[in-house]
Amino acid sequence: MTGRPFMEPGLEEPILVIDEGRRDKLPPGKWVRRHLFNSWHNTLVTVLLVLLLGYAAYRFGLFLFVNGRWSPVRRNLTLFMVGRYPREELWRIVAQVVIWSGTIGLAWGVAIAGASFRASQTGVAYREDPLLTKVRRYWGLLGLLLLLLLLTESFGPLILALVAIGVGALLQVIGKRVPGQYADLMWAAVGVLAVGGYQIVSGFHGRGWIWMATPLALGAVRLVGRIAWTDPRRERLMQLGVVAGVFGIGYVAYSMLDLEGVGWDHWEGLHLNLIVATVAIVLAFPLGLLLALARRSSLPALRVMATSYIELIRGVPLISLLLMAQFFIGFFLNTTTPLSALTRAIAAFTLFTAAYIAEIVRGGLQSVPKGQIEAGQSVGLSPFRVTRSIVLPQALRAVIPAMVGQFIALFKDTSLLSIIGMAEILQVRALVHAQAEFRGFGIAETLVFVMLAFWAFSFTMSRESQRLERKLGIGER
Amino acid sequence: MRSMKRLAVLVLGLTLVAAACGDDASGGGDLLADVVERGVVRCGVNDVLPGFGIVDDTGAFSGFDVELCRVVAAGVLGDADAVEFVGLTAGERFTALQSGEIDVLIRNTTWTATRDGQEGATFLFTTFYDGQGIMVPTATGFTSLEDLADANICVLQATTTELNLTAVFNARGIPFNPVGFADNNLLRPAYEEGQCEAWTSDVSQLTAFKATIEGEGGAAQTILPDVISKEPLGPLVRDGDSAWAQAVEWSVMATVQAWEFGIDSSNVAGYTSDDPNVKNFLGVDGFETGIGLPTDFVVQIISQVGNYEEIYNRNLIPIGLPLAGTPNDLWSNGGLMYVPPYR
């Protein structure tokens, strides 16, 4: 592997060497001398900065491990995690953590299997990241987990963490072992697990069967497609029959089971922040994509609607939208609660973020040269195929950093839920300090704890986006 | 032309959706029946006010106002646990009540004329008589408002407390310097560090903080004898539904009447008396008030939650608020707790 030097005329050395491996091949001692102590003023700056940083680190360490009054966090850890969620139903969240950990593991394994399958088909060797790289990639989250375990007062959370990681690792191995051509079935399984993990808390009842039956039906359709059919019409018929069958069975099963759980209106604490952010991200992305395409559409009505939507939503503060959804919908519709409070809050987050995503994606769409579209048209692709296979892949690739930035902002904005009376993690902090023994006690510590929780997830999102950028070669072309 | 047609279809669709939503609207005006049918009372409370409404580490609500919500549920539904608590901030409480997010608001809300007139809310029986006071470190030696000339006074921003402070000090011609904070968790350390010489708030809150500060080994605190405002706190319901308002009010007042009669949670079961007023009160012999509450609503309230004194002792005595000799004592003891007779 050779580095790519950037030369400046008149200099003997390259000013910058980009290398996937080590940036600098000098031995540590020499590196330090060349970069930190090469002149008297650099030496002075180095010494001063080391002293300053060392003192700051010392004070922070002292605060973290010695002086910090962590008892408000320690005592109320469950409150910070799940808020006022009923304690006798806590097993549901435990099960959810394990199932979703398994879901992530399986998805990860299947993705690796798919990548190596594609690589083998194109004749390129696929190299999986070593374990240490993976650990380094997620050190923010692992650090938060460690902090949580240090703060717990029982072994329950430790066992939960070990079981969850174990299940995730096991399913990852299984996902990797399954041959690449079965990837679609595995993705259906991921979908079923994800829905199951959600419904173990929210309950298996009502309209939940739609969510469960959708991945099952998709998997079943793919399964039917595997059979070598002689008559394509019979294949279509069979697929329709299978879909109808799955939906029918799902409907009957759910109306017979009818197991009530704890609806998401009772989800609080960090659990709520994560759910709201995840759901809003998953919903806002496709909505934003459609809005961006609509805004560039040649149909004036569509364009006007998309543009006015984007400009209207982008022009108002998020908090005003949240308040609107929370307290004023009732006045417009003249009814008390058409949708639950949390559903309306998530709708507000989704609508708000979608407008921003639309503008980010539009930026990406505009960066795709016109020649690309014309090339697609000239080989006779339909407008849909041109957008789907030529424009969008390039446009989305270009806007990953901005998009992830928007998602991180959305995650942090979930702290605004406290203003509309929902006990997300920042509001839990206020609850804790209303308790008699923690009134005005340890207020810095609880704030640091909440900040760390937000930071760990935001940082992990950022690292994932950087990995994606590197993988897709953004910034190098 | 085609896009126009699409637009027309879309508008038509939206209209249909709106119409469908409009049909869902409940007739309104009969919240009591709605609550009974729903089987749960949605009660707006404070979740960060010691003594009145807090959340403990198991996620359960507790406090004086919280127990009054349970009283309403026990009276209306016969089950004190049939309450859905909604933690509300001061800013959103009236909106939540008006828009129907909650059925009743019991969140240390001061009854004032403008609120009664402009917030679309009906104030009911006052359950706690508070007043704005001023706390100073005992070491300062301040004993009256006049001593506070040119002092820095810590106060919560955007509260009636802040307005009232300005009004009272200006009226008396005492120069002062208000230092505003967003919440008590920020105010307390600032006060203890000496950023201000005095802290003004409701006496109930000052008393709670005095106990905490002194309990944690801080400087001794004094609450000045001057009470500079009247703060009657009680439950509120939406304007225009008197059946529901009566149900809430008579449920809450039953705790005071039981206290007056000497009936509490320990002796209410099988309580007998020859006094016809007591018999009526307890619904013996099928006495019916016509308020729309079950005949045994008082028995349910007192057995499941308790009388006013019990509720007060459980929640407000621990934070250092005395009952005897205050306005919150029974009228027969010289206080202001006086309820109409149950007959």
Side-chain angles (χ1 to χ4, degrees):
Chain A
M1 258 189 148
T2 54
R4 298 199 290 125
F6 285 78
M7 298 297 292
E8 188 85 357
L11 280 177
E12 288 99 66
E13 284 186 60
I15 54 166
L16 184 67
V17 177
I18 290 185
D19 192 324
E20 291 293 310
R22 283 174 54 195
R23 297 250 168 79
D24 203 324
K25 295 192 180 66
L26 290 174
K30 217 172 167 196
W31 186 92
V32 165
R33 233 171 301 142
R34 174 178 296 185
H35 290 96
L36 301 177
F37 297 100
N38 57 349
S39 64
W40 71 267
H41 50 266
N42 258 0
T43 307
L44 187 68
V45 168
T46 302
V47 169
L48 278 179
L49 278 181
V50 163
L51 281 178
L52 201 68
L53 288 177
Y55 182 69
Y58 166 73
R59 293 300 303 193
F60 191 66
L62 209 62
F63 166 74
L64 221 51
F65 298 109
V66 186
N67 295 337
R69 299 174 295 182
W70 296 98
S71 57
V73 180
R74 213 180 269 276
R75 183 87 60 78
N76 291 290
L77 203 57
T78 322
L79 203 63
F80 274 109
M81 293 299 113
V82 299
R84 295 176 294 232
Y85 181 93
R87 293 300 185 265
E88 65 277 9
E89 302 280 344
L90 216 50
W91 64 270
R92 291 177 184 275
I93 290 186
V94 170
Q96 182 175 58
V97 169
V98 172
I99 292 175
W100 276 353
S101 173
T103 312
I104 293 169
L106 188 64
W108 194 352
V110 175
I112 291 174
S116 64
F117 178 65
R118 279 192 300 278
S120 72
Q121 289 208 322
T122 49
V124 186
Y126 179 80
R127 192 165 47 85
E128 202 194 326
D129 291 333
L131 185 66
L132 194 66
T133 315
K134 290 175 187 164
V135 169
R136 279 224 307 261
R137 193 183 301 155
Y138 298 111
W139 73 266
L141 275 186
L142 291 172
L144 179 68
L145 185 64
L146 198 68
L147 178 71
L148 289 179
L149 291 178
L150 283 176
L151 286 167
T152 52
E153 288 171 323
S154 66
F155 286 106
L158 179 65
I159 296 167
L160 170 61
L162 290 179
V163 170
I165 291 176
V167 168
L170 183 72
L171 282 181
Q172 196 223 24
V173 171
I174 292 175
K176 268 195 304 202
R177 293 287 160 79
V178 175
Q181 61 264 35
Y182 296 116
D184 44 2
L185 296 181
M186 286 291 110
W187 284 116
V190 168
V192 169
L193 275 181
V195 174
Y198 176 82
Q199 293 186 343
I200 191 89
V201 182
S202 74
F204 300 92
H205 71 116
R207 273 170 294 176
W209 64 274
I210 301 176
W211 304 107
M212 185 56 100
T214 304
L216 277 174
L218 285 175
V221 165
R222 292 303 189 122
L223 207 60
V224 171
R226 287 195 178 277
I227 306 168
W229 296 86
T230 45
D231 184 359
R233 266 192 27 220
R234 285 182 63 182
E235 185 185 349
R236 281 267 167 248
L237 219 60
M238 188 67 194
Q239 283 176 336
L240 274 178
V242 166
V243 169
V246 169
F247 273 81
I249 292 170
Y251 178 73
V252 173
Y254 269 63
S255 37
M256 276 169 65
L257 273 176
D258 198 28
L259 293 173
E260 286 262 2
V262 181
W264 72 2
D265 271 350
H266 298 277
W267 299 12
E268 294 182 335
L270 183 62
H271 189 224
L272 177 69
N273 294 76
L274 291 173
I275 288 291
V276 170
T278 312
V279 174
I281 286 172
V282 167
L283 294 179
F285 177 67
L287 187 60
L289 204 65
L290 289 178
L291 279 171
L293 292 171
R295 192 169 183 176
R296 282 169 55 89
S297 156
S298 54
L299 301 170
L302 213 55
R303 199 168 57 229
V304 166
M305 275 196 313
T307 310
S308 37
Y309 172 86
I310 292 169
E311 296 306 335
L312 204 68
I313 298 284
R314 270 205 323 168
V316 298
L318 174 55
I319 184 66
S320 65
L321 275 183
L322 280 172
L323 288 174
M324 199 78 190
Q326 219 52 42
F327 298 116
F328 300 105
I329 289 280
F331 295 134
F332 290 137
L333 299 182
N334 190 27
T335 172
T336 46
T337 27
L339 294 167
S340 78
L342 187 65
T343 312
R344 279 173 287 153
I346 289 180
F349 275 115
T350 306
L351 295 177
F352 182 79
T353 308
Y356 279 87
I357 296 289
E359 284 302 275
I360 292 171
V361 171
R362 194 169 64 95
L365 291 175
Q366 278 168 349
S367 76
V368 178
K370 208 154 191 278
Q372 295 274 332
I373 301 165
E374 285 161 357
Q377 286 167 341
S378 69
V379 293
L381 294 179
S382 68
F384 176 76
R385 291 295 300 177
V386 170
T387 309
R388 165 79 185 74
S389 314
I390 298 176
V391 178
L392 275 185
Q394 299 185 63
L396 292 182
R397 209 195 59 163
V399 297
I400 287 174
M403 191 113 74
V404 174
Q406 190 61 42
F407 290 155
I408 290 176
L410 168 64
F411 174 55
K412 291 184 297 182
D413 281 345
T414 56
S415 57
L416 290 176
L417 286 171
S418 61
I419 295 177
I420 53 171
M422 290 181 196
E424 51 71 55
I425 188 167
L426 198 63
Q427 176 66 15
V428 168
R429 177 175 171 269
L431 300 181
V432 165
H433 288 302
Q435 292 169 2
E437 60 270 54
F438 302 127
R439 219 170 295 151
F441 177 86
I443 49 175
E445 287 80 353
T446 48
L447 194 59
V448 166
F449 174 75
V450 171
M451 285 158 74
L452 278 176
F454 273 108
W455 174 83
F457 286 96
S458 303
F459 180 69
T460 306
M461 275 196 259
S462 157
R463 292 290 290 244
E464 272 300 281
S465 103
Q466 282 169 12
R467 188 176 67 88
L468 215 58
E469 285 167 35
R470 263 203 307 282
K471 212 172 106 187
L472 300 174
I474 298 163
E476 293 186 20
R477 274 187 258 179
Chain B
M1 204 49 221
R2 235 176 87 208
S3 54
M4 282 303 288
K5 211 181 263 176
R6 282 180 197 207
L7 192 66
V9 169
L10 191 95
V11 169
L12 194 70
L14 285 176
T15 315
L16 284 176
V17 170
C21 291
D23 285 344
D24 285 346
S26 52
D30 196 3
L31 193 49
L32 181 56
D34 287 354
V35 169
V36 170
E37 190 190 326
R38 196 193 309 135
V40 62
V41 175
R42 291 173 310 185
C43 193
V45 293
N46 199 330
D47 49 12
V48 293
L49 185 61
F52 289 87
I54 63 158
V55 176
D56 68 11
D57 56 355
T58 65
F61 277 93
S62 65
F64 185 79
D65 285 350
V66 168
E67 295 215 24
L68 291 179
C69 291
R70 290 166 47 79
V71 163
V72 173
V76 174
L77 303 168
D79 179 6
D81 293 327
V83 191
E84 190 181 304
F85 293 107
V86 181
L88 293 170
T89 65
E92 69 192 5
R93 55 187 165 181
F94 293 113
T95 327
L97 187 67
Q98 287 158 15
S99 66
E101 299 288 321
I102 55 173
D103 305 319
V104 54
L105 176 70
I106 312 184
R107 191 202 172 281
N108 56 295
T109 307
T110 304
W111 186 356
T112 68
T114 47
R115 279 178 176 169
D116 217 344
Q118 293 168 12
E119 300 288 3
T122 300
F123 284 81
L124 305 175
F125 179 74
T126 298
T127 51
F128 189 85
Y129 291 93
D130 212 340
Q132 185 175 344
I134 294 172
M135 179 163 76
V136 296
T138 311
T140 58
F142 294 152
T143 54
S144 71
L145 295 191
E146 278 68 24
D147 292 342
L148 289 168
D150 291 319
N152 294 321
I153 301 180
C154 281
V155 62
L156 288 187
Q157 281 163 348
T159 56
T160 51
T161 318
E162 190 183 20
L163 299 174
N164 198 40
L165 173 73
T166 314
V168 168
F169 274 63
N170 287 350
R172 295 205 188 180
I174 309 170
F176 75 108
N177 182 25
V179 185
F181 289 89
D183 72 271
N184 280 331
N185 289 320
L186 302 171
L187 195 155
R188 182 189 156 182
Y191 174 74
E192 287 198 86
E193 278 167 17
Q195 279 187 39
C196 34
E197 286 88 46
W199 177 354
T200 183
S201 185
D202 286 351
V203 173
S204 61
Q205 298 193 38
L206 291 180
T207 312
F209 276 104
K210 177 179 189 287
T212 323
I213 292 173
E214 290 173 350
E216 284 170 18
Q221 305 293 324
T222 303
I223 297 175
L224 300 185
D226 307 67
V227 174
I228 61 174
S229 76
K230 293 187 288 184
E231 309 283 344
L233 315 177
L236 291 77
V237 294
R238 209 160 39 251
D239 263 346
D241 189 346
S242 53
W244 172 244
Q246 285 166 3
V248 172
E249 188 156 42
W250 285 95
S251 295
V252 170
M253 289 192 302
T255 60
V256 177
Q257 184 63 63
W259 180 23
E260 189 180 331
F261 281 145
I263 304 171
D264 59 32
S265 57
S266 61
N267 65 13
V268 66
Y271 190 89
T272 50
S273 166
D274 296 331
D275 186 343
N277 284 330
V278 176
K279 279 181 162 173
N280 289 348
F281 181 57
L282 294 176
V284 186
D285 305 332
F287 177 77
E288 188 60 65
T289 55
I291 298 169
L293 292 169
T295 318
D296 66 338
F297 79 99
V298 171
V299 177
Q300 296 297 343
I301 291 171
I302 306 304
S303 62
Q304 294 186 40
V305 189
N307 70 24
Y308 185 92
E309 188 184 24
E310 289 180 283
I311 297 171
Y312 196 105
N313 287 346
R314 269 200 298 271
N315 297 290
L316 301 181
I317 295 290
I319 65 164
L321 287 173
L323 177 57
T326 67
N328 297 305
D329 208 342
L330 267 181
W331 63 282
S332 46
N333 300 336
L336 293 175
M337 284 297 156
Y338 181 102
V339 296
Y342 282 66
R343 63 167 185 248

